[in-house]
Amino acid sequence: MPEELLDATDHEILGLLREDARRTLSDIAGRVTLSTAAVKRRIDRLRETGVITGFTVQVDHAKLGWGIEAFTELRFVGNTKVAEILRTTTRMPEAQAVFTIAGDPDALVWLRVRDMAHLQKTIDEIRRHHQVTGTKTLIALESWSRGS
């Protein structure tokens, strides 16, 4: 759905759902001054058109023992296919997201690990891939995200 087909109320509903995806229809309706049925129709339309792709839960990974976040730049042999770049890390439980990039580096991997030894082991595992020619890792001190 093109951006211009969403009105201010659609954007407000999306913002409320980003803050709390478990928010009730009646709560949203009260905040956007529409009926509950009208809000449901709008959310259904946003789902049907693919603007809303799902609902998730936010987890405090530090409380689960995976509190360190890092970003690793990856460089590959020049003829490496994008699909192969993605396969290098997408099967690793430590990889939270992989972004292929036009230019240098070839990819950026968002990692989540338990501790520095776990990070080292993860980087070593990535480096063992025969087409990886170099890595550079940055450790996040704090993070903030607008959400999806």
Side-chain angles (χ1 to χ4, degrees), residues 80-88 100:
T80 306
K81 293 184 169 86
V82 172
E84 182 63 23
I85 292 171
L86 290 172
R87 274 194 301 273
T88 301
T100 56

Side-chain angles (χ1 to χ4, degrees), residues 91-104:
R91 292 186 187 109
M92 300 174 71
E94 295 86 358
Q96 304 301 297
V98 181
F99 306 90
T100 56
I101 300 171
D104 183 38

Side-chain angles (χ1 to χ4, degrees), residues 26-88:
S26 61
D27 178 60
I28 295 169
R31 292 170 186 263
V32 299
T33 62
L34 288 176
S35 70
T36 302
V39 167
K40 181 176 181 343
R41 283 192 301 273
R42 283 177 179 254
I43 291 172
D44 289 345
R45 178 178 47 84
L46 292 168
R47 291 184 74 194
E48 289 166 9
T49 58
V51 172
I52 294 176
T53 58
F55 298 89
T56 64
V57 63
Q58 294 179 347
V59 175
D60 184 339
H61 293 279
K63 290 183 179 175
L64 297 175
W66 289 63
I68 295 176
E69 291 180 276
F71 295 87
T72 299
E73 297 177 355
L74 301 180
R75 287 165 184 75
F76 287 79
V77 173
N79 62 353
T80 306
K81 293 184 169 86
V82 172
E84 182 63 23
I85 292 171
L86 290 172
R87 274 194 301 273
T88 301

